[in-house]
Amino acid sequence: MTDPRLAVIVLAAGEGTRMRSSRAKVLHPLAGVPLIGHVLATARELSAAQVIAVVRHERDAVSAAILELMPEAVVVDQDQVPGTGRAVELGLSALPDDFDGDVLVLSGDVPLLDAGTLSGLIEAHRRTGAAATVLSAMVDDARGYGRIVRDPGGAVLRIVEDKDAGPDELAILEINSGGYVFAAPALRSELPRVGTGNAQGEKYLTDVIGLLHAAGQLIEAVPAPEPWMVEGVNDRVQLAVAAARLNAMIVRGWQLAGVTVQDPATTWIDLRSSLAEDVELLPGTHIAGATSVARGARIGPQTTLLDCEVGENATISRSDATLAVIGAGASVGPFAYLRPGTELSDGGKIGTFVETKNAKIGAGSKVPHLSYLGDVTIGEGTNIGAGGITANYDDIAKHATTIGSHVHSGVHNVFVAPVTIGDGAKVGAGAVIRKDVPPGALAISVAPQRNVEGWTEKNRAGTAAADAASRAATEATD
Ligand code: UD1
Ligand code: CA
């Protein structure tokens, strides 16, 4: 049920200079979801009446991502006045003028803060009747963060930014997480009074805390249960730290749900992937995007699956697959490359050094070795010999190859598309198939073999090959 007294403002307008990236910071992925997506998911869990996101830097890309992840969100543009205070001021203007509930402010770059911790914060805020409740954290290294300044009695006085702090303030180890709950009227009255006279020339949201205290309002700061929950992502070192932390939690969750993970340190599972009981993941495996793996499948080592569907008891070893469907009991690899549109049916095989693209391979059909199959449909129970290649591209367009059921292709066949091989047909070794093969036919395209007797002894006299040939000839006549 939605909470009509709660609005969320997500800040995502900052430039993110410390990332040194052409991509907006909040669009960098963590477990396969952009940073901002984690924050929006948390906002959704809190069932706020309204979610507002403030954008500016890379605004088109950022707002498109926000609206894709959360179509009901309202996107507001920040103007040229910089700072988190200005961002919230503009976000607030998207709320009805008479909204007098609570405004939860979240940073788009703090991805691991969970809804449980935040509902605790909102509860505390409502219990104490404070004008503002800050989510703080006790840390060992406060560098870069705003510090919570309390009086000797413990009352919160203000927040001082790292760049504006004096030596005493720098020693404070209670930091501002960037998550707060404000009474909407308190924000409305104080934000217009915040200036930009500070080290960064920005309109700081954090200045509202000092102003509210000066106005005699109650401010609370509640430390998060664990400091890592509120760690911001400002550079790529922090991005990797957050990614490892989140991955460890995801891996643990799947282990408790019945998945064997041999080496959690080298196994990466994206947030949107799902795994059934008795799935086994070997070292170096990345289950990415919206991949689903059914019961009993064994994946890895050294395998990446992006947006794939894997059936029960399938095995995939040392391979890379994107947008592929792998049937129950099928086997892939080692060293296979499955590109989008690959559909391997139940019990099928895509073996060693095989690349497939837009390839529908029927039940029990096998492509065991050294092949490229693109734009192909193969029936059931067919075997493609080693080195089978579809020549699907004539440098103008792609063409399709259709291979029936129970076909037996020889080694090193080339299928020059468009071409069709009928059910039960057989193709000789080395054949280049340019014409359709009717069902049940044997297709042979290589010229008959001719042996020139004694060629080596005559043309390569004195070589090891000629000696070997002459010895063999003597032995044969003995
Ligand atoms: C901010 C807090 C700091 C806190 C830290 C926690 C302020 C002034 N400082 O610092 O006290 O310890 O977060 O992580 O608020 N943003 C805008 N518009 C802007 C500037 C920033 O929307 O004009 C957004 C950013 O996109 C980001 C968030 O606000 O999502 C925080 O901005 P950032 O510049 O990272 O602030 P910090 O220096 O980390
Ligand atoms: Ca930050």
Side-chain angles (χ1 to χ4, degrees), residues 342-423:
T342 297
E343 286 176 28
L344 179 62
S345 301
D346 295 356
K349 180 185 177 82
I350 292 176
T352 311
F353 302 114
V354 174
E355 175 180 343
T356 58
K357 183 216 74 172
N358 190 20
K360 318 242 175 304
I361 301 170
S365 287
K366 296 185 166 48
V367 191
H369 334 271
L370 299 159
S371 289
Y372 168 66
L373 295 181
D375 304 310
V376 66
T377 305
I378 299 176
E380 295 178 2
T382 284
N383 191 84
I384 303 297
I389 306 282
T390 51
N392 59 330
Y393 185 49
D394 59 12
D395 80 44
I396 296 167
K398 301 277 172 68
H399 300 284
T401 300
T402 305
I403 299 176
S405 293
H406 303 285
V407 170
H408 195 267
S409 94
V411 298
H412 218 286
N413 288 155
V414 179
F415 303 98
V416 182
V419 73
T420 297
I421 319 292
D423 290 347

Side-chain angles (χ1 to χ4, degrees), residues 87 245 296 460:
R245 174 94 58 187
R460 297 288 183 268

Side-chain angles (χ1 to χ4, degrees), residues 98 341 348 440:
D98 59 354

Side-chain angles (χ1 to χ4, degrees), residues 32-170:
V33 173
L35 288 178
I36 186 86
H38 294 267
V39 181
L40 293 172
T42 304
R44 173 173 283 140
E45 263 186 80
L46 292 168
S47 310
Q50 176 121 228
V51 175
I52 296 156
V54 186
V55 302
R56 178 169 168 87
H57 182 73
E58 296 285 329
R59 68 93 47 207
D60 290 347
V62 175
S63 68
I66 289 169
L67 292 172
E68 195 190 317
L69 291 156
M70 193 183 221
E72 69 272 30
V74 174
V75 175
V76 171
D77 284 283
Q78 189 169 349
D79 58 14
Q80 69 294 336
V81 180
T84 49
R86 183 60 177 165
V88 171
E89 193 174 12
L90 292 167
L92 200 61
S93 66
L95 282 173
D97 288 340
D98 59 354
F99 177 77
D100 64 353
D102 300 312
V103 178
L104 172 68
V105 175
L106 297 175
S107 286
D109 65 350
V110 181
L112 301 185
L113 191 48
D114 65 298
T117 302
L118 288 168
S119 31
L121 186 77
I122 296 164
E123 247 174 63
H125 176 79
R126 290 176 174 171
R127 201 173 46 239
T128 60
T133 305
V134 183
L135 183 66
S136 67
M138 300 304 305
V139 297
D140 299 328
D141 180 1
R143 265 178 300 176
Y145 289 101
R147 313 295 206 279
I148 309 287
V149 183
R150 295 178 185 261
D151 72 10
V156 177
L157 302 179
R158 58 196 178 90
I159 297 175
V160 62
E161 287 305 292
D162 189 67
K163 290 193 170 118
D164 301 286
D168 289 354
E169 293 161 337
L170 285 175

